[in-house]
Amino acid sequence: MVDIRESVGQWAAAISNTLVANFTREKLGQLLAGYVEQLLGGGVAEARQVGRSMVEHDFISAATLERSITYLGEHAEVTPAQLAALASGYAEGLRDRTLAQQEISRTAAINTMRRAESAVRASEAKFRAIFSSSAFGIVVSDLKGEIIDVNEALLAMLDHKHEDVRRMSGRDLVHPDDREALRQLTRQLIASEHDNVRVEKRMVRSDGETIQAHMAISVVREEDGTPPYLVTMVENVNEMRALQSQLLRQSLNDMHTGLPNRAQFLGWLEGAAGSKGPDTLALVQVDVDGFRGLNDAFGHDVGNRVLMHVAAHLREVFTEDVGRIARIGEDEFGVLIKDPRDTASVIALVDAFTARLEEPTWIGGHGVGVTTSVGVVVRAARGGDAVDLLRAADVTVAWAKRDGKAQWALYDKERDQRDRERYALAASIPGALEEGQFRVDYLPLRSLAQGSVLALEAKIVWDHPEQGVLCPEVFLGEATNNGMIVRLVRWALEEACAQVSSWHAELGPRTPVLTIDLPLRLCQEPELVAEVLRVLDRTGLPASLLRFELHEHVPTLLNEEQLDELTILTERGVGLVVDQVSGGNVRVTRLRVLPWSGVKFNSAVAHAFASDALRIEERAAVALLKWAAMLRLPLYADGVRTAAEAQRLAELGVTGAQGPHFGPALSVAETTELLLS
């Protein structure tokens, strides 16, 4: 859904410096909010009303209309048909406003003529000023159509001279096919009680060219018995329609690159996906990598130059006979290819385009490198959906960026379906928490020397009503990406602390330590220490019985303040274990920034001592364990599968281990039985 307040604010910012009339911020906001609601809730008729209303509220600057249509076309869910209707309504409103002003001018002109016949010469001068300075053509004629006078605007419109017009009648200025109808209309006006009528007819210029004209014909009846006469005001409709067409073009094109914009591109897609579209189509979406960084480093002018550079290469590769190109976002371009020969030919074009970007573009002495991530979607066209096509292209570009940028990716329906299921699963976490679908199981960490339980690692398990029991690996990764990991781990921390506290009440000093993974996102929380201490206070669990496990890369990603927060936790008695250690990827100096209470190795270390492991793997694991022993910390191992692996780890100084050899994670009831037996 579109946020109306945000849309109104952005629209107001776009047009505020173009307004002719003075509006308070509140008044302008109310007016634009009404327009947005009309456009989003209505159709073409409502859009036309918005255009007329803009004129009625003095939005009469051409820049105001241009920026409004450009903004709506790129940022609001408004169709090209609505944009065209808005421009048409605006033109109609402007015409009616002008004609209303013309009526005022006409009244002034007639009054001036009346006064000129009976008053001073100055009155005639006033009429002549209005008559001669009007931007619209004016013809004064008798009831037979003989011309009495015309103004300069009409002469310019029809490219005639005064002396030529004096020898002509009014009917000579009208297209032959429209003369009889206009004569009948004039007769009806003279015979009726009405004073004026409006009609659209064709007129003929001196060079024979036909123009479409809107005429406001008024009959002037004098009170002194003077024969009545006609005053006709003429507007060139061709110019108005040309303006409307220009506004429509501006609303459907990007001002920086000259390419069609997203609104027009959507129209192309809708046409291609229709019943009369091609058999197949290819949609290529191009995203400029690091575009925000370019803007921040060199300014928006350089960013615009980069966009034009990319657009130029797109035009060179995807020529008009190959595909249609548009700018569909801030740093995004789209290419629509109808009936491609095959997928390989589309990929070849993408490769040709990206090859052209390998050379830097020089802007103001800077050799700016430009790379792009490209998503390619090739599918059957007819019966498709334009919005779904764009979504598929967005998804594919995201794959290319996730895999390292500066490359292309091909749409994979099965991968997309898997991703959608993961996203949907992660998005439903808040509701699942509310409904109590999550529980905490406990994976024992056993002493390799005695077999006793040294610690219990909290594992978040999801009892999904449709998919059954889900282990953490299924949903925690995507929960991290969408931010739900914060809420989920906070819940699990309090749940586990309360449970271990109840065991502590019975076991006393024999209670195993509770360990729980602390994700990077939680380490970055400014209130981490306060939150952990509140949980310990509420549950009554001693701080010495709580230990957080941090992935080995986490310390390298934290700033000084965040490291200080973790240090404060250790000073309060909470333990920290560096987890998933697997090799020399993290320097010892970086590990020493925190007061660790243990080191835990991932399953690869234990598996290096399996009977089928390579000798080089075993040697590497031995070297790693000997290096870790230098830290003088308790060592733990994960993923132990066999007694042989456990024995070898114990020989190399590992204190405790967990994994299939020691059994799976246990429910609360099973853990209670284990601890109290």
Side-chain angles (χ1 to χ4, degrees), residues 396-633:
T396 312
V397 169
W399 294 343
K401 288 184 176 293
R402 192 184 309 158
D403 294 341
K405 301 183 178 180
Q407 59 185 311
W408 56 264
L410 186 63
Y411 178 73
D412 181 341
K413 187 175 182 179
E414 293 182 359
R415 180 180 179 181
D416 185 18
Q417 184 61 33
R418 292 194 300 270
D419 285 352
R420 294 179 77 167
E421 291 173 357
R422 287 204 326 272
Y423 300 150
L425 195 65
S428 64
I429 287 176
L433 274 172
E434 292 289 336
E435 295 176 359
Q437 296 176 13
F438 288 96
R439 71 170 194 263
V440 177
D441 285 352
Y442 299 90
L443 181 63
L445 179 76
R446 297 274 187 172
S447 167
L448 290 180
Q450 302 171 353
S452 59
V453 179
L454 299 177
L456 295 169
E457 182 177 356
K459 295 288 188 180
I460 305 172
V461 178
W462 190 347
D463 287 322
H464 198 281
E466 298 174 358
Q467 301 185 35
V469 177
L470 302 178
C471 61
E473 291 75 13
V474 174
F475 56 86
L476 285 186
E478 199 56 46
T480 300
N481 293 336
N482 73 355
M484 286 310 303
I485 191 69
V486 175
R487 186 173 174 183
L488 197 55
V489 172
R490 281 176 174 170
W491 169 84
L493 176 63
E494 183 144 8
E495 189 81 4
C497 285
Q499 182 59 57
V500 176
S501 180
S502 69
W503 288 327
H504 177 255
E506 296 191 43
L507 296 173
R510 293 185 294 113
T511 307
V513 174
L514 169 66
T515 70
I516 186 169
D517 287 337
L518 190 65
L520 172 64
R521 179 63 184 81
L522 268 294
C523 294
Q524 296 169 332
E525 281 289 295
E527 297 294 322
L528 175 63
V529 172
E531 180 64 24
V532 172
L533 294 181
R534 278 195 294 268
V535 170
L536 293 175
D537 182 61
R538 285 196 297 266
T539 61
L541 182 70
S544 60
L545 289 180
L546 176 62
R547 194 161 66 198
F548 287 121
E549 296 187 355
L550 282 68
H551 192 283
E552 66 172 351
H553 291 295
V554 167
T556 66
L557 302 174
L558 300 179
N559 59 36
E560 294 301 325
E561 290 184 4
Q562 293 158 356
L563 291 171
D564 288 344
E565 287 279 299
L566 292 173
T567 302
I568 293 172
L569 279 179
T570 64
E571 293 171 351
R572 299 297 179 91
V574 177
L576 295 180
V577 173
V578 56
D579 189 17
Q580 296 297 307
V581 176
S582 60
N585 294 327
V586 181
R587 298 191 304 273
V588 176
T589 54
R590 193 58 183 170
L591 289 178
R592 291 190 183 278
V593 298
L594 287 172
W596 301 105
S597 55
V599 177
K600 188 175 182 180
F601 301 95
N602 69 12
S603 58
V605 175
H607 297 170
F609 300 111
S611 58
D612 58 349
L614 299 176
R615 292 287 296 170
I616 190 172
E617 293 176 342
E618 182 180 358
R619 287 197 296 269
V622 170
L624 177 61
L625 290 170
K626 289 182 177 179
W627 163 82
M630 298 173 59
L631 298 174
R632 299 184 182 279
L633 294 172

Side-chain angles (χ1 to χ4, degrees), residues 261-307:
N261 63 15
R262 186 181 184 88
Q264 190 166 177
F265 193 72
L266 271 173
W268 295 345
L269 284 179
E270 289 170 355
S275 59
K276 297 182 179 179
D279 292 333
T280 60
L281 62 79
L283 178 57
V284 179
Q285 182 168 320
V286 177
D287 279 23
V288 180
D289 295 329
F291 184 69
R292 184 178 296 276
L294 281 173
N295 278 336
D296 292 344
F298 301 109
H300 288 281
D301 288 341
V302 171
N304 291 334
R305 293 276 297 278
V306 168
L307 291 176

Side-chain angles (χ1 to χ4, degrees), residues 147 155 159-169 172-173 206:
I147 295 176
L155 295 175
D159 194 27
H160 279 299
K161 297 181 180 179
H162 258 294
E163 53 269 24
D164 297 331
V165 174
R166 293 183 186 281
R167 296 192 294 268
M168 302 168 64
S169 68
D172 295 327
L173 304 178
S206 64

